[in-house]
Amino acid sequence: MKQIIVTGGAGFIGSHLIDQLLAQGNHVSCIDNLQTGSRENIEHHMQSEKFTLIEQDIINPLPAFEHIDEIYNLACAASPVHYQADPIHTFKTSVIGALNVLELAKQHNAKVLQASTSEVYGDPLVHPQPESYLGHVNPIGIRSCYDEGKRGAETVFFDYARQYNTKIKVIRIFNTYGPRMDPKDGRVVSNFIMQALKGEPLTIFGDGKQSRSFCYVNDLVDGIVKMMNSKEEVQGPINLGNPHEFTMLELAEQVVAKTASGSPLRFHPLPSDDPKQRQPIIDKAKELLNWEPTIQLNQGLDKTINYFRTKL
Ligand code: NAD
Ligand code: UDP
């Protein structure tokens, strides 16, 4: 049984990760300030002796632990609506939070994994995106608290590895969806499904021709755990995502068809710096982690729609 810390474990991805880590027999301490996560996501573990919830913000000094084997650092609001609501806090979470987590890992000689993002590529000029692409990020735009914050986090991870031999793992997660997304979280999959189920117009930003590649959450969590368990020399960064690319119009059409909804499409202005295209190259994940997604959008949307029906 390993002693594992998951920051951001009450959130969408973190709670699925905790399900898997506990099912494998580990002890998990979840550090979360419940900013965008919820107790409901982890309610089913609250009575378990192997699970502890520590309500705390990772920008503040972290509590002492007797022993830690592994830390997964997922704490950070991920939806543009939420991370832009308090951009200074987002930046602090990304950079000061990462430094606090790295210090804890250093003290315990623990392995530490950083949940980075495809946003480090910004509005990419290279398509699809390999890990070697250095990105095209606006450093002063409304997305930069998150994009530059996550880039800064990658920097301090690699500096800790070089300066202190900290055992790091960095993954770049592409758009992920599935049950336990917050219905009000503002991301495109949750917005479209909730709007379709309520018979409201689907809010298409811009002309809807921008693309994203959507990964089902269970596939992603398998990749995250494989990364943590990879050979010590595998530090990353490694892209984790589903390479099937869709436009937002294609996503909207699928959601309307699957929900048999009468919702019309309504067009709204495109937010600034919204990336026009995004698709991961996952050759590294295939080769080094023996990982690739198995659940395609058609199937994953059905599971997600069923979940959101229970939230109405
Ligand atoms: P989420 O908002 O559902 O979860 C984030 C969790 O972190 C929440 O429980 C929130 O309360 C907690 N949190 C935020 N700031 C904190 C702080 N300062 N201290 C303590 N806890 C804090 O988002 P998610 O989709 O589950 O994303 C998890 C991680 O994966 C994030 O780091 C995000 O950047 C990364 N990621 C997600 C996606 C995606 O498509 N979902 C894509 C790329 C990267
Ligand atoms: N989007 C949209 N309607 C919505 C929410 C988002 O058309 O109600 C678009 C958004 O402009 C972006 C894409 O969908 O081009 C993905 O947005 P999301 O916020 O889910 O993720 P991110 O932009 O971080 O990839």
Side-chain angles (χ1 to χ4, degrees):
M1 182 169 90
K2 289 186 276 194
Q3 297 290 333
I4 301 178
I5 310 264
V6 179
T7 76
F12 159 53
I13 297 173
S15 63
H16 286 277
L17 174 64
I18 288 175
D19 288 350
Q20 182 167 141
L21 296 174
L22 288 174
Q24 289 168 352
N26 301 296
H27 184 282
V28 176
S29 299
C30 166
I31 303 180
D32 200 300
N33 66 357
L34 301 181
Q35 180 188 327
T36 53
S38 71
R39 283 176 178 274
E40 199 186 331
N41 286 343
I42 44 174
E43 196 64 53
H44 51 297
H45 299 308
M46 287 298 195
Q47 304 308 321
S48 166
E49 285 176 0
K50 292 183 173 174
F51 178 75
T52 315
L53 171 64
I54 301 164
E55 256 187 79
Q56 116 130 60
D57 197 307
I58 63 161
I59 72 171
N60 298 322
L62 297 174
F65 291 87
E66 257 177 43
H67 177 80
I68 303 172
D69 295 297
E70 297 173 352
I71 308 177
Y72 291 84
N73 186 33
L74 272 68
C76 190
S79 164
V81 175
H82 288 298
Y83 72 64
Q84 288 165 15
D86 186 349
I88 303 298
H89 184 257
T90 300
F91 196 79
K92 285 184 181 169
T93 296
S94 300
V95 180
I96 298 175
L99 286 166
N100 285 336
V101 163
L102 283 162
E103 245 343 272
L104 196 60
K106 182 173 156 238
Q107 281 166 20
H108 291 270
N109 195 26
K111 273 193 276 184
V112 56
L113 178 143
Q114 168 65 4
S116 187
T117 166
S118 54
E119 287 286 322
V120 300
Y121 303 122
D123 188 5
L125 302 178
V126 167
H127 191 71
Q129 294 80 50
E131 291 85 352
S132 56
Y133 179 48
L134 298 184
H136 180 232
V137 174
N138 174 2
I140 58 168
I142 55 170
R143 294 177 85 100
S144 41
C145 58
Y146 183 76
D147 299 11
E148 296 288 15
K150 289 284 188 175
R151 287 170 70 95
E154 288 199 11
T155 304
V156 289
F157 262 71
F158 279 86
D159 281 336
Y160 261 71
R162 283 185 287 259
Q163 201 166 330
Y164 302 121
N165 286 320
T166 306
K167 293 177 274 186
I168 63 154
K169 308 275 177 193
V170 176
I171 51 167
R172 292 180 177 157
I173 302 171
F174 283 63
N175 296 64
T176 300
Y177 70 100
R180 296 196 201 141
M181 288 184 98
D182 177 355
K184 295 197 188 82
D185 152 296
R187 283 181 272 192
V188 70
V189 174
S190 43
N191 274 7
F192 283 1
I193 294 177
M194 287 307 284
Q195 290 159 350
L197 291 177
K198 289 185 191 163
E200 295 170 356
L202 267 60
T203 51
I204 312 275
F205 297 168
D207 60 10
K209 290 186 183 147
Q210 71 273 33
S211 72
R212 296 291 187 273
S213 306
F214 297 102
C215 187
Y216 190 67
V217 65
N218 290 11
D219 275 338
L220 179 80
V221 165
D222 287 344
I224 296 178
V225 174
K226 280 191 167 183
M227 180 62 171
M228 183 61 101
N229 294 328
S230 62
K231 290 185 190 145
E232 194 168 328
E233 64 267 24
V234 179
Q235 296 181 321
I238 292 189
N239 288 340
L240 292 183
N242 189 320
H244 286 216
E245 186 183 8
F246 296 87
T247 66
M248 296 312 102
L249 282 176
E250 287 168 338
L251 175 69
E253 280 158 15
Q254 282 213 35
V255 170
V256 168
K258 280 180 177 294
T259 52
S261 169
S263 290
L265 307 186
R266 190 158 294 162
F267 291 83
H268 296 262
L270 188 69
S272 70
D273 292 330
D274 199 286
K276 285 181 268 313
Q277 51 187 2
R278 195 181 279 157
Q279 184 189 25
I281 291 181
I282 59 164
D283 295 353
K284 273 198 175 184
K286 283 185 189 165
E287 184 195 326
L288 297 170
L289 309 180
N290 191 26
W291 176 85
E292 66 182 307
T294 58
I295 300 167
Q296 300 311 336
L297 188 64
N298 184 32
Q299 205 186 344
L301 272 184
D302 288 338
K303 295 171 192 277
T304 313
I305 290 168
N306 287 342
Y307 170 79
F308 279 113
R309 279 190 204 282
T310 69
K311 295 282 141 192
L312 279 180

